[in-house]
Amino acid sequence: MAEACSLGVAAEMPQAVQTVDRFHVVQLLNRAIDHVRCAERRESAEKRRQLAGTKYVWLQGKESLTERQLAKREELDPAKTHLRTARACQMGEALQDVYSCAGRESAARALDRLCSWMMHSNVREMKTVARTLRKEREGILNWWKRGSTNSFLEGLNSVVQSVRSAARGFRSIAYFRTMIFLRLGRLDFTAQKKLTCATH
């Protein structure tokens, strides 16, 4: 969803259909939920007590929670406590419902309903998320067309970043490019080692 990435793709590959990765949409919402929790904790001693140690209660799906965490989630249900964090968590669960839709049309309707709910809530962070989701709507819905993900590119990028940090910088882009090819190329240097041993 980074603007630089979108502009770069549009400039270099104008016929490409851009898809917003599901992982990044969920990550965007989880970060917002955690910001809501942190902000709400600072509002009063009562809320600090209620929300103490609950970070992963809100960030994980119900199927991943322990019995104790589930009990805490039930105790802090928005109908009982009126916590903004609990409402934000419900919106996160609604996003999971969007991704469980079978097709693009039903997902579009569910996504629009979710964005409308977020915009009409009194949770400021969720309104920001809704604006981003509306801006990236077509890219998000393209996921149902192909189900594509950029996890392979994310993996390559992590290797490239490890090359850069290990070198503490390069004198030129050419050296950096060479090191990337050496690391990612899976080249076999066994013949070179044998040759070196034979000459010494």
Side-chain angles (χ1 to χ4, degrees), residues 162-171:
S162 72
V163 168
R164 189 182 71 174
S165 63
R168 307 277 196 282
F170 288 93
R171 286 186 178 185

Side-chain angles (χ1 to χ4, degrees), residues 1 6 20 131-141:
M1 285 183 281
S6 297
V20 175
R131 282 190 284 273
T132 303
L133 295 181
R134 283 178 171 171
K135 182 182 162 205
E136 301 292 341
R137 184 179 186 274
E138 284 309 304
I140 292 168
L141 295 175

